[in-house]
Amino acid sequence: VPLLQRCIQLLLLPIHVLACLGIWDCFYKKVFPYVMAKVAPIYNHKVYKQKQELFGNLRKFAGPSGQLTLLEIGTGTGTNFQFYPPGCRLTCTDPNPNFRKFLLKSLSENRHLKLEHLVVASGEDLHQIPDGTVDAVVCTLVLCSVTNVKKVLTEVLRVLRLGGAFYFLEHVAADHSSWTYFWQKVCDPVWKYFGDGCSLIRETQKELEKTNFSELNLRCIHVTPYWIPTSPHIIGYAVK
């Protein structure tokens, strides 16, 4: 693994140098939203049925007023909007302000939603959101790239009201005895350059199990094509 890692790093040496100089991150944060605007619809098509099933019970977590207050962490281009129930009161957060125009375009195409707040913030620090004020939190393909998964989940618990739910869909590390995990280990050091900090070997399910949720509904799936290192996924929801 170390030998193959070094070979790939050598091939991508110019990008590594730019990253060390702080140039690559500045450049890629501007480009990444355009990349995701093209890639997200393709991915959504692959997991459409899974997302439809996942978000199908969002309504049951609505507050006493009957309206659902939903916070999405790492909203990106707004690829999940089509799955949210009508009348949903939405707060969107993302650390990259360059996603704004794509997010607003998605909102214009999903007029069944009501945007209440649009916040530039990382998942580790959601201090703009008061304690216990959210019915549901959604996080898809985000925990792979955050700096600290535990801090994000701590913030999720803080902002959720008692009985609220956290919905997730994340690619994770494969079984350690598999060839997929072998290639995940090989590619991981350079994958972050093209996935905005994304890691291929996060074991997010273990962090979810350690978090103080009263209920955890989680299952493993694979997204096609099965040979790519991001194929293994976890999907489900947890209740506070």
Side-chain angles (χ1 to χ4, degrees):
V1 169
L3 177 61
L4 290 172
Q5 284 177 339
R6 289 189 180 93
C7 289
I8 294 175
Q9 287 170 336
L10 186 61
L11 288 171
L12 298 175
L13 184 60
I15 292 176
H16 181 67
V17 172
L18 290 174
C20 290
L21 295 172
I23 297 171
W24 179 257
D25 284 350
C26 293
F27 164 75
Y28 200 69
K29 284 196 180 299
K30 292 180 180 179
V31 172
F32 191 56
Y34 291 91
V35 174
M36 289 308 298
K38 298 293 184 184
V39 172
I42 299 170
Y43 177 82
N44 241 14
H45 179 73
K46 291 180 180 181
V47 296
Y48 185 84
K49 289 183 178 178
Q50 290 91 335
K51 281 193 175 184
Q52 202 171 39
E53 181 184 347
L54 174 65
F55 296 125
N57 69 344
L58 267 170
R59 286 182 182 276
K60 82 172 189 178
F61 293 104
S65 67
Q67 276 195 312
L68 180 74
T69 302
L70 188 150
L71 166 68
E72 182 166 358
I73 298 173
T75 310
T77 61
T79 187
N80 292 322
F81 290 168
Q82 62 182 297
F83 301 100
Y84 297 158
C88 179
R89 295 164 56 196
L90 188 62
T91 296
C92 298
T93 72
D94 201 288
N96 188 344
N98 297 300
F99 273 112
R100 182 183 174 89
K101 73 174 185 178
F102 298 98
L103 186 151
L104 292 176
K105 181 177 182 293
S106 290
L107 278 171
S108 70
E109 296 167 353
N110 292 275
R111 297 188 178 275
H112 63 289
L113 303 177
K114 179 184 177 184
L115 179 66
E116 293 205 326
H117 304 288
L118 182 55
V119 182
V120 177
S122 68
E124 293 91 340
D125 183 11
L126 301 171
H127 67 270
Q128 299 97 323
I129 316 299
D131 296 4
T133 56
V134 178
D135 298 318
V137 177
V138 172
C139 191
T140 62
L141 300 185
V142 172
L143 295 178
C144 59
S145 58
V146 298
T147 305
N148 190 311
V149 176
K150 184 179 179 180
K151 281 186 177 180
V152 176
L153 295 177
T154 299
E155 282 288 80
V156 168
L157 279 177
R158 181 185 65 79
V159 302
L160 275 175
R161 64 166 176 79
L162 189 62
F166 172 58
Y167 286 75
F168 56 87
L169 172 61
E170 299 287 339
H171 71 80
V172 293
D175 182 275
H176 287 201
S177 63
S178 67
W179 276 105
T180 301
Y181 184 70
F182 174 83
W183 287 112
Q184 285 178 330
K185 289 281 287 182
V186 169
C187 298
D188 190 62
V190 297
W191 193 265
K192 62 184 179 181
Y193 296 141
F194 305 101
D196 200 20
C198 174
S199 171
L200 293 169
I201 54 174
R202 290 262 170 100
E203 297 183 326
T204 306
Q205 62 273 30
K206 292 183 178 180
E207 291 296 336
L208 284 163
E209 289 166 359
K210 289 188 290 185
T211 305
N212 193 28
F213 289 111
S214 64
E215 177 186 341
L216 176 60
N217 301 276
L218 180 152
R219 64 188 178 98
C220 299
I221 62 172
H222 282 78
V223 176
T224 57
Y226 299 126
W227 55 267
I228 63 171
T230 56
S231 177
H233 279 57
I234 56 169
I235 185 171
Y237 68 94
V239 181
K240 179 176 176 180

